[in-house]
Amino acid sequence: MRGSLQAYKKVSVDSQLSAASPHKVIQMLMAGAIERLIQGKAAMLQGDIPMKGERLGKALDIIISLRTCLSMDDGGEIATNLDALYDFMIRQISEANRDNLDAPIDDVIDILREIKSAWDQIPAEYHNITQADA
């Protein structure tokens, strides 16, 4: 049963991604990172070290992907600030994983929620605009 549910979730996410705007993809990545961090923290608190490592590793992968997608040439100060925040989050997650600390995970979740909240407030008419269009 669990395998079927996981397969259904994967198909659902894949179909959402195929139809998603770049803006929606970023929203989905941020939500996924937050979800993996919450799962990693729960696993840590339960003493499930393998699951903690897997979930925090997936959150790290997502944040690293978000960071590598930044357009430093076109993004100006916003891109520079996001780059610094992503770097901070990567270091916090690594520290939390290494030392079994939940507070750094909470800090990263709070930061990601703030960024996602701002991202969610961008009006729909701007979701597909690129620097070339501006």
Side-chain angles (χ1 to χ4, degrees), residues 6 9-10 13 28-44 51-63 93 105 108-109 112-113:
Q6 294 295 21
K9 283 183 178 180
K10 178 161 178 29
V13 169
M28 291 172 68
L29 287 170
M30 288 183 187
I34 292 167
E35 182 179 346
R36 296 315 174 284
L37 288 166
I38 291 168
Q39 293 168 344
K41 178 182 172 184
M44 177 189 300
M51 180 63 71
K52 172 200 75 162
E54 177 197 331
R55 298 304 173 166
L56 294 182
K58 286 184 179 192
L60 266 175
D61 289 344
I62 293 170
I63 293 169
I93 295 168
I105 297 172
V108 173
I109 291 169
L112 274 174
R113 282 183 174 152

Side-chain angles (χ1 to χ4, degrees), residues 17-119:
L17 277 173
S18 67
S21 68
H23 183 273
K24 181 65 176 173
V25 171
I26 299 296
Q27 288 175 306
M28 291 172 68
L29 287 170
M30 288 183 187
I34 292 167
E35 182 179 346
R36 296 315 174 284
L37 288 166
I38 291 168
Q39 293 168 344
K41 178 182 172 184
M44 177 189 300
L45 296 174
Q46 294 169 359
D48 187 344
I49 302 306
M51 180 63 71
K52 172 200 75 162
E54 177 197 331
R55 298 304 173 166
L56 294 182
K58 286 184 179 192
L60 266 175
D61 289 344
I62 293 170
I63 293 169
I64 290 167
S65 294
L66 287 167
R67 186 179 188 199
T68 59
C69 290
L70 289 173
S71 176
M72 300 307 286
D73 294 333
D74 298 330
E77 186 178 345
I78 292 172
T80 301
N81 291 341
L82 283 171
D83 184 61
L85 281 172
Y86 289 140
D87 179 63
F88 174 77
M89 288 187 266
I90 290 165
R91 287 185 281 114
Q92 290 294 97
I93 295 168
S94 298
E95 176 188 351
N97 192 25
R98 182 189 66 228
D99 298 335
N100 282 320
L101 302 171
D102 60 335
I105 297 172
D106 291 335
D107 293 342
V108 173
I109 291 169
D110 290 344
I111 293 167
L112 274 174
R113 282 183 174 152
E114 284 283 324
I115 296 169
K116 186 176 181 312
S117 174
W119 199 258

